[in-house]
Amino acid sequence: MNEIIIAVVVLAGIGLVAGILLSYFSKVFHVEQDPRIEEINENILPGANCGACGYAGCRDFAKAVIEAAKNGEDLPECPPGGPEVAQELASFLGLEHGGSERKTALVKCAGTSERANERAQIRSVQDCRTAALYGGNKECQYGCMGYGDCVKACPYDAIKIYQGNIAIVDPEKCTGCGICIDICPNNVIELVPSSRQTHVLCNSQAPTKATRSACSVGCIGCKLCQRKDKDFSIENNLAVYNAKKGKEEAAFSCPNNVIVNTWQFSVAAFVESTTAREQFAARKTEYKKLEKEKRKKAAAARKAKKAKAAPKKKEDKSE
Amino acid sequence: MSKAKTFKGGIHPSYNKHLSSDKEIVEAPLPEVVALPLNQHIGAPAKPIVKRKDKVKAGQLIAETGGFISAPVHASISGIVKAIEPVEHPLGKKVDAIIIESDGKDEWVEFNPVDNPFAADADTIRDKIKEAGIVGLGGATFPSNVKLSPPEDKKIDFVILNGAECEPYLTTDHRLMVEKTEEVVTGLKLAAKVLGVDKIYIGIETNKPDAISKMEKEIGDDGQVIPLQVKYPQGSEKQLISAITGRETPPTSLPMEVGAVVFNVGTCLAIYEAVFQGKPLFERVVTLTGHGVKNPGNFKIRLGTYVAELVEFSGGYKDNAAKLVLGGPMMGRAVPTDGIPIIKGTGGILVMTQSELIVRYYSDCIRCGKCIEACPNNHNPQLLGILIEKERFDKISEEQLEEIVLDDCFECGSCTYVCPAHRPMVQFFQQAKSYFNNKKKKR
Amino acid sequence: MEYLLIAINSVFIGNLILAKFLGICPFLGVSKKVSTALGMSMAVMFVMTLAATVTWILFHFLLEPLNLQYLRTIVFILVIASLVQLTEMAIQKISPALYEALGIYLPLITTNCAILGVAINSIEKEYNFLGMLVYAFFGAVGFALALLLFSGIRERLDISSVPKSFRGAASSLIVAGILSLAFMGFAGLVPG
């Protein structure tokens, strides 16, 4: 009996001493730290300290993540945490920075092999970077070449090459990490805010004549969209849209159907689906018809006004 | 004659120079149309000062310099400006060019040579060279007037004439040294005077004995001809300096850091013509060669001539012609069409036959180390090739090899030539350069 | 030279990772890069020696006199965990530079069975104080050796073309096994 008590006492004693020492020293040796590190370490990360990320433990990873976010660099990855942890980290840091939105990648090209002219057959090349070295496989040198470097690079499997040889990003899967942007040799992919619902699906800065001969859905810099919606600006022969939701009229006024409004059609549908394009064409014709009728009515009204004014004058004269 | 000097590394490809090395330079007839890209040099593109339907004369300034490191462009024929639009360029991306349709008259503007050039002030000569739009005709196309103005604190000890012409098949420099010896040497001496240097070296590979003896006679006591061992890439600046003077240029620095300035044979001729005759740069000599053309030879052409026209003049393609390369087989660029203009940096046009094209599929690196032996710049193409193939650019930055890849590798192709696994090393390095350059731009 | 023999034993013949198979966790986890492996080794060396010392003292001056030898496992774990926490705090305060370099690895070592293994083994082998010190320190040196060798190989494997089914942990484990086989060659180095 005695022995058991002694054992318990000794054990408890050592535990107590250790506890006291630790709490005392945690006050004495307290060091100011970014509280976010704790927040990330405790609540977001798996906490296994496995080192699979390449950093020495979850705390070190948390520090690296905060540092990367501060410098505007890509966040390091936590393989066991997977895409869920990556999302949480991104939103955690995004909210902290007050207002930096969730972004998603967009391939600014709709020039499928039917719509864009081929330049030259490049044999035995299987990736975009090599093709770019030789000038690309399309006449338009700003377009998506479709060999899929971005597909291979995307860690979330968010990009696919559809028939027609264009890469399309799935906005549901995209986390805005930006790796595809670094990989694309033609800079066709851009990071846009997820909330934006109007996109210009073209990257070509070539002058009008060149774009017309290269692709049937290229932006020729005609400025018709700008006339309908002031949020469109034209830089280097290319239309740019930086606001949230563009006017439908702008999309209808584009002669080459380069603008897509995602509340009507998804980017994927607009690029590769013929039904979507047909629907859009139908709406456009309807809109144009309505516009024409409006104009006719307005012209008729003006004429009527003029006619009303003229006979009155005659009457005055005759008096 | 001293024993033939050389540098560390390098390879011995088959040269095939016999196809054109004894063919005298022939002047090609006036082309019907020329396309003069605004970007034929290193630096900012030139800015056009003419527009559609303007009439121009040969030698007239049609585009002025676009920045400090830039060069103007002159019309090479007389005629009417048809358009200013993008044309194919050997580097792949289309470039804006001024397209001139010939009026058949070949009228030239009046030239203003410099009076008594050897007594003239250095800045006058430099301005004349800048006005004439002279750039390095060896292929690097660096504006020569900038090369002739090193910063005050860099002491220049030697001027070296690059007569090595190590690239297989090309023979322009060889023929220029044999046929225009006096003009080339005068241009060289003038360049040396502008730099205030009295030590002149002329490096010539031993496979050109007629050039060696002619240049020796011409330069006399004013300089020294150094015969060099026939090895590729002897004609590269840093390797040339290392072989002749023994000085090693540190990685990513310019030759002026070790007190040397190197000039190409064609550039010296252009300097002579610009200063002594007042003629701007609108003509050059190119070698049209390869087993795919009926009559290989050396031709003096107007800049901007389409390759198709030149080939037609020379006699046309053979039936087995399959691939067109602008430049030599080692550092030249394959182009998809012969509707591409010849520009300032084009030294050769190589037409290869179907049987010379062997498409090989490459395997993993077998770690034999032949590429490390062959690299003239002391790099490790083995490691870099593996890292680039696996897209481990992060590791390249980690090991601080980014600089080496971006600035120091000049893509000579020695590593690709020797690789037993047929790995396309040069293409890997080109990809890495494009990746890092893109990254810099996007950040 | 008894102590020299203990040292050689700890590093080669009875290598903690490759012969005793202790501390496999950090061995596989922190060995992706040579730099992290180095940092980890330094941290382990420090903690192992310190922990072995404290536990040895506790055992011989507290548990043995009170006939509580059977409590050693629990007590040792308690002590090692608190010690590591304390050391981490101390280093963080005293030398932030040192903390940046290796303090981050300390939490990883808390549950490292190699530390406990060394502590218990020096009791089992009935070493005296100096013997325990040599055993612990050179045990850590052996740990470091195995870790550095392995991380070097892993860095090389990282950029090689490994067949798909072998990529990642599979090839690493096979390499670890082969390395362990290699170290078995030292078995006859010290007779007895």
Side-chain angles (χ1 to χ4, degrees), chain B residues 4-12 205 228-249 369-381 408 410 412 414-415 418:
Chain B
K5 299 197 177 175
T6 189
F7 60 95
K8 182 181 163 296
I11 52 170
H12 300 276
E205 282 190 341
L228 299 164
Q229 211 186 89
V230 180
K231 194 159 68 165
Y232 177 86
Q234 179 64 79
S236 149
E237 269 190 327
K238 300 187 181 174
Q239 277 59 40
L240 194 64
I241 297 172
S242 157
I244 291 180
T245 66
R247 295 187 188 179
E248 294 291 339
T249 320
K370 278 187 138 177
C371 53
I372 304 180
E373 272 175 13
C375 180
N377 260 355
N378 284 327
H379 295 160
N380 187 346
D408 209 38
F410 54 90
C412 68
S414 306
C415 49
V418 295

Side-chain angles (χ1 to χ4, degrees), chain A residues 119 130 141 181 187 209, chain B residues 85 88 93-94 431 442:
Chain A
R119 171 176 169 261
T130 316
Q141 306 216 298
I181 312 233
N187 297 327
K209 184 167 152 213
Chain B
E85 58 183 26
E88 286 277 348
K93 283 235 156 191
K94 290 200 183 160
Q431 285 184 18
K442 286 173 194 172

Side-chain angles (χ1 to χ4, degrees), chain B residues 158-417:
Chain B
F158 325 103
V159 162
I160 302 178
L161 179 67
N162 189 347
E165 197 158 49
C166 56
E167 181 96 34
Y169 285 99
L170 301 193
T171 52
T172 34
D173 291 348
H174 183 180
R175 294 311 307 172
L176 280 175
M177 283 194 286
V178 166
E179 296 177 34
K180 297 260 182 190
T181 329
E182 195 189 322
E183 291 91 335
V184 169
V185 171
T186 316
L188 177 67
K189 285 200 228 175
L190 191 61
K193 185 181 163 295
V194 168
L195 286 169
V197 168
D198 52 1
K199 255 204 147 348
I200 299 181
Y201 288 117
I202 301 178
I204 307 180
E205 282 190 341
T206 51
N207 58 1
K208 302 182 246 294
D210 47 355
I212 294 179
S213 57
K214 277 206 136 182
M215 293 297 271
E216 264 180 344
K217 257 197 235 131
E218 185 65 39
I219 193 86
D221 293 325
D222 296 327
Q224 204 184 351
V225 172
I226 312 275
L228 299 164
Q229 211 186 89
V230 180
K231 194 159 68 165
Y232 177 86
Q234 179 64 79
S236 149
E237 269 190 327
K238 300 187 181 174
Q239 277 59 40
L240 194 64
I241 297 172
S242 157
I244 291 180
T245 66
R247 295 187 188 179
E248 294 291 339
T249 320
T252 73
S253 352
L254 290 168
M256 63 166 117
E257 301 286 333
V258 289
V261 175
V262 180
F263 285 103
N264 170 269
V265 170
T267 316
C268 288
L269 176 64
I271 291 178
Y272 168 84
E273 288 182 342
V275 174
F276 285 77
Q277 297 170 358
K279 178 174 169 221
L281 179 61
F282 60 83
E283 284 186 311
R284 76 156 292 162
V285 178
V286 298
T287 307
L288 173 62
T289 178
H291 292 106
V293 279
K294 294 200 176 133
N295 303 311
N298 305 292
F299 299 93
K300 182 162 143 189
I301 48 105
R302 302 292 174 103
L303 285 178
T305 309
Y306 280 97
V307 169
E309 275 201 61
L310 179 62
V311 172
E312 207 192 295
F313 165 68
S314 79
Y317 297 107
K318 280 203 196 147
D319 288 327
N320 55 2
K323 182 165 172 163
L324 182 62
V325 175
L326 286 194
M330 298 298 293
M331 287 186 74
R333 296 278 184 148
V335 290
T337 164
D338 58 6
I340 186 170
I342 301 174
I343 55 176
K344 289 180 184 175
T346 311
I349 300 162
L350 172 62
V351 181
M352 301 178 88
T353 62
Q354 192 62 51
S355 55
E356 287 175 329
L357 297 186
I358 310 168
V359 177
R360 285 207 174 96
Y361 295 98
Y362 63 95
S363 76
D364 283 328
C365 175
I366 63 176
R367 296 192 187 276
C368 62
K370 278 187 138 177
C371 53
I372 304 180
E373 272 175 13
C375 180
N377 260 355
N378 284 327
H379 295 160
N380 187 346
Q382 187 193 85
L383 176 65
L384 280 169
I386 295 176
L387 290 177
I388 298 170
E389 188 194 8
K390 307 271 173 221
E391 309 219 348
R392 296 298 305 270
F393 300 107
D394 54 322
K395 226 172 151 91
I396 296 181
S397 307
E398 240 178 66
E399 312 248 344
Q400 283 143 354
L401 292 171
E402 222 176 291
E403 287 264 304
I404 303 279
V405 167
L406 275 179
D407 293 321
D408 209 38
C409 168
F410 54 90
E411 298 171 21
C412 68
S414 306
C415 49
T416 318
Y417 188 82

Side-chain angles (χ1 to χ4, degrees), chain A residues 94-129:
Chain A
L95 288 170
E96 290 277 347
H97 284 248
S100 101
E101 278 178 275
R102 248 207 83 188
K103 293 204 167 167
T104 186
L106 172 73
V107 176
K108 290 174 30 175
C109 182
T112 58
S113 32
E114 295 158 350
R115 303 180 190 135
N117 296 332
E118 210 192 17
R119 171 176 169 261
Q121 278 251 339
I122 307 180
R123 290 190 308 175
S124 65
V125 155
Q126 283 103 12
D127 61 291
C128 305
R129 232 191 342 264

